[in-house]
Every structure is written in C-alpha cells, then in structure tokens.
Amino acid sequence: TKRGETNMKLSFKGFLDIFKTSLNIEENTKLELSSKLESLNMNSISFIQLIVALEREFDIEFNDNALDLLRYNTIEDLYNDLINNSNID
C-alpha cells in the first residue's frame, strides 16, 4: 500500500468509529479532537486494545515509542500520532 493511499483511509470518522467500538462508547456519544482520554476512562489495557484494533483496521503498525498511554492527553494527540508516526507498509 502506498503511504498516500493508506493515509486517505485514516479518516477521523473511521478512527472515531474504531475508538468508540474499542472502548465500548455508545455510537451517539459526541467525541471531539479535544476530548481528554482520561475523561473516557481509558486505561493501559483498553489503550492497547485500541491500538491493536487500529493496526488491524488500517493495516499499519505503531512505532514502539507510541505504545505508551501517558504520551497522549487528547484524542487529537493519538490521531495525529496515528497519521504521522505509524510504520506503513
């Protein structure tokens, strides 16, 4: 897959759909880029589950240094890292 093609698949809506499913957040719950991960009760286990789901869905691999929940404060932080720092085949 070419990087540009993959990034086009990494839409914010698609990201949020996986985010909500992985964290068992109701579909009609409004999430924004500025939503704090802490307020969503994300813990290290749910974070890794989300990362695995994102990797599977978008056929990417997060860099090892990105696998630390404390690195992210908001949904935007995580989404930007997904777009900018994942290893894309």
Side-chain angles (χ1 to χ4, degrees):
T1 304
K2 295 179 184 170
R3 184 177 180 92
E5 292 173 7
T6 302
N7 280 342
M8 288 177 62
K9 294 181 194 173
L10 300 178
S11 70
F12 185 62
K13 181 187 179 323
F15 169 80
L16 277 186
D17 289 345
I18 294 167
F19 192 94
K20 288 179 179 181
T21 300
S22 294
L23 296 176
N24 295 316
I25 297 173
E26 291 185 28
E27 191 173 320
N28 61 353
T29 300
K30 183 153 176 72
L31 295 177
E32 307 212 2
L33 285 170
S34 61
S35 297
K36 301 277 186 197
L37 297 180
E38 186 177 308
S39 69
L40 300 169
N41 298 318
M42 183 178 283
N43 60 38
S44 59
I45 294 171
S46 58
F47 175 72
I48 294 300
Q49 289 171 334
L50 172 62
I51 295 299
V52 169
L54 290 168
E55 287 180 335
R56 285 182 181 156
E57 179 68 23
F58 295 116
D59 193 28
I60 58 168
E61 183 178 327
F62 275 81
N63 294 321
D64 289 344
N65 65 346
L67 301 178
D68 181 3
L69 174 59
L70 299 177
R71 178 183 163 112
Y72 308 100
N73 291 316
T74 65
I75 290 176
E76 181 175 25
D77 294 338
L78 182 57
Y79 180 68
N80 285 338
D81 215 38
L82 173 69
I83 295 298
N84 297 322
N85 298 316
S86 56
N87 292 321
I88 299 177
D89 298 331

